[in-house]
Amino acid sequence: MPKVIVDPVTRIEGHLKIEVEVEGGKVTEAKSSGTLFRGVELILRGHDPRDAQEIVQRICGVCPIGHATAATLALDDAFGIKPPGNGRIIRNLILGANYIQSHILHFYHLAALDYVKAPDNILPLAPRYEGDYRLPEAVNSAAVNHYLQALEMRKKAHEMLAIFGGRAPGQRAIVPGGVTETVDAQKIINFKFRLAELTSFIENVYVPDVLAIAEVYQDWLEIGKGCGNMLAYGAFPVDDDGELFFKRGRYTEGVDGEVDPDKITEDVKYSWYEDDTGGKKPTESVITPAPKKEGAYSWMKAPRYDGKVHEVGPLARMWVAGDPEIRSLGEKAFSVMGRHAARALECKKLAHAMAGWLEQLQPGEPTCTPHEVPREAEGVGLTEAARGALGHWIKIKGGRIEKYNAVVPTTWNGGPRDEKGQPGPIEQALVGTPVKDPNNPIELVRVVRSFDPCLACAVHVITPDRDVRKFRVY
């Protein structure tokens, strides 16, 4: 029974190791291992609560806006405040701009090269693995050109974000109570024409490219199912009463349901943390690293909803929302190509919604609600980063942060087994995947990249103590 290890998986954010057992040409067992220790929760202890939305953006340079959003929602909850209409809308526009940039990044610059064969003389675009490049020449050539065009589109998305966020990444506008930015007509115009250009690219290039690749690789609508349970916290409030553009909900064992935050837990039986961290609610969890813990194989925890494994991300959001294009795929939606299609279609849907939100801004009106920091309080902020359900929990004591916990999308998707032995979503998605050549495991990275994994950026611990196979990495 050959063992295949891909360490690290490239063209994702962070350091992820995948280890699988292959028998009869298919994966029979898989382990997903996060090889870094984040530790931001420890850094936050003792800080002024209002530092949270700044510090947590350093968790990730790709999706910092999601973390800023979750942190401010947690602080809004703890402070007992709501942003005014302008503040709510500007938060949406900043987060939406990051979504667009992130989705374009994922397809063209991270995942597409698993299907698009670049010319041999363009080294940065050269594929890591050989074989199974099936696209017709015309489609392949167009996709290579679009790879380059997408770089410019991502730049425009960052510019759009910076109009209200001040800069990208690491925006400075989102704060408790709303935003620090003001609204004027010129900012609306500057945002609007960039959004129009990005929307045209999404509709006329991005979505058609994804569908063209899916048409050629239809067998990948049958590969990478995963757990089949979907979870979404919801995001982008469209009114002051809390109605969300991306709906909050779940799909568990074939049944749609609501989300109760009290049913979210974290397990650490196979994680490099002391056992007293696991089996608890995020409000109670503590971070006690145990890098020599016997049986553990990941720095990621294993989040569970009501004790069950759930996938998060664009596919989960679109499925929970009952999107007809995704739901019409049936079980095939839970697949590698289903995830790519959901991400592209979501991007188009969001871009159109942002145009409407932009028209609702009121120049000269307030953008932030005045507030004071309470001496004692707790708060939770649930939102959707580009890669999926993101929750931040905070406890304030003596006017300072006593406890902080962030449960991120890739912890849900890429986490290890739990105390019941249930593998995480990526681990389950890998099982059954065909592997034609263990020395050229392109199939494994296709499955993993369909989730768009995003691990923490600051590597504290990594142990490259084995050399199983060497691959040329770009």
Side-chain angles (χ1 to χ4, degrees):
M1 183 183 295
K3 179 182 290 185
V4 179
I5 298 175
V6 182
D7 181 18
V9 177
T10 57
R11 283 190 271 120
I12 65 170
E13 193 285 321
H15 292 69
L16 178 68
K17 168 187 168 184
I18 297 296
E19 179 178 330
V20 303
E21 303 281 350
V22 179
E23 185 174 3
K26 290 187 176 181
V27 175
T28 58
E29 184 176 337
K31 288 185 177 179
S32 168
S33 177
T35 60
L36 59 86
F37 168 59
R38 187 174 65 217
V40 172
E41 289 89 344
L42 299 180
I43 295 172
L44 279 161
R45 289 179 180 174
H47 273 267
D48 186 305
R50 293 165 295 185
D51 291 344
Q53 76 278 356
E54 289 295 327
I55 294 174
V56 297
Q57 290 186 77
R58 276 67 188 172
I59 289 175
C60 176
V62 179
C63 43
I65 314 305
H67 289 289
T69 300
T72 52
L73 289 174
L75 291 170
D76 286 350
D77 186 35
F79 295 178
I81 55 176
K82 288 184 178 181
N86 273 350
R88 169 179 54 79
I89 294 169
I90 292 175
R91 282 183 182 179
N92 284 353
L93 294 173
I94 293 172
L95 180 60
N98 180 244
Y99 262 74
I100 290 174
Q101 188 278 145
S102 182
H103 284 358
I104 292 173
L105 161 67
H106 172 255
F107 180 69
Y108 284 102
H109 304 133
L110 302 181
L113 298 184
D114 292 333
Y115 312 94
V116 178
K117 186 171 178 59
D120 292 336
N121 63 338
I122 305 180
L123 185 61
L125 306 187
R128 178 180 179 183
Y129 299 108
E130 294 300 326
D132 198 29
Y133 290 94
R134 317 175 193 167
L135 295 180
E137 180 59 33
V139 176
N140 194 85
S141 296
V144 171
N145 290 332
H146 295 158
Y147 175 106
L148 300 173
Q149 186 181 357
L151 293 170
E152 182 64 23
M153 291 298 105
R154 287 173 55 201
K155 174 186 174 184
K156 290 184 181 295
H158 276 314
E159 292 174 349
M160 188 168 70
L161 188 158
I163 290 169
F164 289 121
R167 67 182 188 186
Q171 64 77 43
R172 305 304 300 271
I174 299 175
V175 294
V179 295
T180 59
E181 189 55 81
T182 58
V183 179
D184 62 46
Q186 189 59 54
K187 291 172 185 174
I188 295 174
I189 293 169
N190 291 343
F191 196 102
K192 186 174 185 178
F193 84 78
R194 287 175 173 83
L195 179 59
E197 188 172 359
L198 284 161
T199 302
S200 177
F201 176 81
I202 293 164
E203 289 186 325
N204 300 312
V205 179
Y206 177 20
V207 172
D209 278 351
V210 171
L211 298 180
I213 289 176
E215 179 67 25
V216 175
Y217 289 89
Q218 290 191 34
D219 50 325
W220 285 85
L221 283 164
E222 308 282 352
I223 298 172
K225 177 180 178 179
C227 62
N229 295 333
M230 301 287 138
L231 176 70
Y233 291 160
F236 300 104
V238 296
D239 58 32
D240 294 333
D241 296 324
E243 180 70 20
L244 300 172
F245 179 68
F246 287 166
K247 305 301 181 185
R248 178 174 297 180
R250 60 184 173 85
Y251 178 79
T252 308
E253 298 177 345
V255 179
D256 293 310
E258 297 181 349
V259 173
D260 178 358
D262 287 336
K263 293 185 177 181
I264 298 168
T265 57
E266 294 184 290
D267 190 282
V268 297
K269 181 176 177 59
Y270 294 97
S271 305
W272 285 306
Y273 298 103
E274 295 292 348
D275 288 337
D276 64 356
T277 305
K280 296 182 178 180
K281 297 177 182 179
T283 52
E284 302 167 348
S285 292
V286 293
I287 308 299
T288 310
K292 296 182 180 181
K293 180 178 173 181
E294 185 176 354
Y297 62 90
S298 181
W299 282 107
M300 287 184 282
K301 299 178 185 178
R304 298 291 182 260
Y305 181 85
D306 200 17
K308 297 179 177 64
V309 181
H310 285 75
E311 176 179 334
V312 302
L315 173 60
R317 288 191 291 264
M318 294 287 272
W319 187 272
V320 165
D323 181 84
E325 290 182 275
I326 296 302
R327 287 265 180 155
S328 67
L329 293 173
E331 288 291 309
K332 291 184 177 180
F334 307 139
S335 65
V336 169
M337 282 300 150
R339 292 185 189 97
H340 287 301
R343 188 173 283 105
L345 293 172
E346 175 186 81
C347 196
K348 180 176 73 171
K349 183 178 179 180
L350 178 59
H352 283 288
M354 289 170 64
W357 299 335
L358 193 63
E359 298 297 330
Q360 297 173 18
L361 287 174
Q362 300 293 321
E365 293 298 311
T367 60
C368 193
T369 300
H371 55 271
E372 294 182 358
V373 178
R375 298 291 295 172
E376 312 278 334
E378 294 186 11
V380 58
L382 301 182
T383 189
E384 291 284 326
R387 290 163 178 81
L390 172 64
H392 283 213
W393 285 260
I394 188 171
K395 183 176 182 179
I396 301 169
K397 187 173 182 179
R400 295 282 169 170
I401 297 174
E402 182 184 45
K403 282 187 180 180
Y404 203 95
N405 195 17
V407 182
V408 306
T410 299
T411 317
W412 282 98
N413 289 335
R417 286 161 172 73
D418 57 26
E419 62 184 358
K420 298 178 183 177
Q422 298 179 108
I426 286 179
E427 293 178 331
Q428 292 192 37
L430 284 165
V431 172
T433 298
V435 179
K436 185 177 181 180
D437 179 4
N439 291 299
N440 186 49
I442 188 172
E443 300 90 351
L444 301 182
V445 293
R446 281 178 174 171
V447 173
V448 172
R449 290 191 187 116
S450 73
F451 287 87
D452 193 11
C454 181
L455 291 92
C457 297
V459 177
H460 291 247
V461 177
I462 183 167
T463 55
D465 56 359
R466 59 173 69 91
D467 189 359
V468 180
R469 291 187 178 91
K470 292 184 178 180
F471 298 101
R472 192 178 181 189
V473 179
Y474 297 96

